[in-house]
Amino acid sequence: MPQMNRDQRNAAWQAANQWRARAAQTQPTGLAGSLKLLFTWLAFGALMIVGVVLGLFFLLIGWAMMPFMRHKMKKRMEQMRAQQAQDIGGGYSRGNTSANSYPGHQDALEGHYKVKDSEVKNGR
């Protein structure tokens, strides 16, 4: 019997008993309570269906837009490659910041170097 008294003084035990009492009070009683519970579940189900339909709709729109986005990104890459080829092949100027703006830029990689006279004479 002392075990029962200690459990009843426990805060978790008391909270569980209160929860059990509230759950017993909120159960639907009669036709009105049953209809209320039914409409609650129907509303919840309808919201779930609407959410799934909207999710699928946006998923399909995303899939449909992928080819257009791929085409746009492909054009942008072609434009960037053409710009880079123009920077490398075109005239070199020290004031050109677009050619020197990317990290790791070195003049030797772009073909700007000088051969020393001593190397030409030695046949290197």
Side-chain angles (χ1 to χ4, degrees), residues 46-109:
L47 286 174
M48 289 294 287
I49 290 171
V50 167
V52 167
V53 168
L54 281 174
L56 287 174
F57 176 72
F58 286 121
L59 178 71
L60 290 175
I61 285 179
W63 281 348
M65 288 177 61
M66 281 178 125
F68 299 112
M69 293 301 294
R70 183 175 181 264
H71 178 71
K72 183 178 177 182
M73 297 300 280
K74 190 175 178 182
K75 288 289 186 186
R76 187 180 296 173
M77 285 301 295
E78 288 175 2
Q79 187 179 19
M80 287 174 58
R81 284 186 186 135
Q83 181 67 35
Q84 185 180 7
Q86 183 180 4
D87 287 346
I88 291 172
Y92 181 78
S93 65
R94 291 280 176 195
N96 188 358
T97 57
S98 66
N100 297 329
S101 62
Y102 53 91
H105 171 77
Q106 295 177 356
D107 290 340
L109 292 177

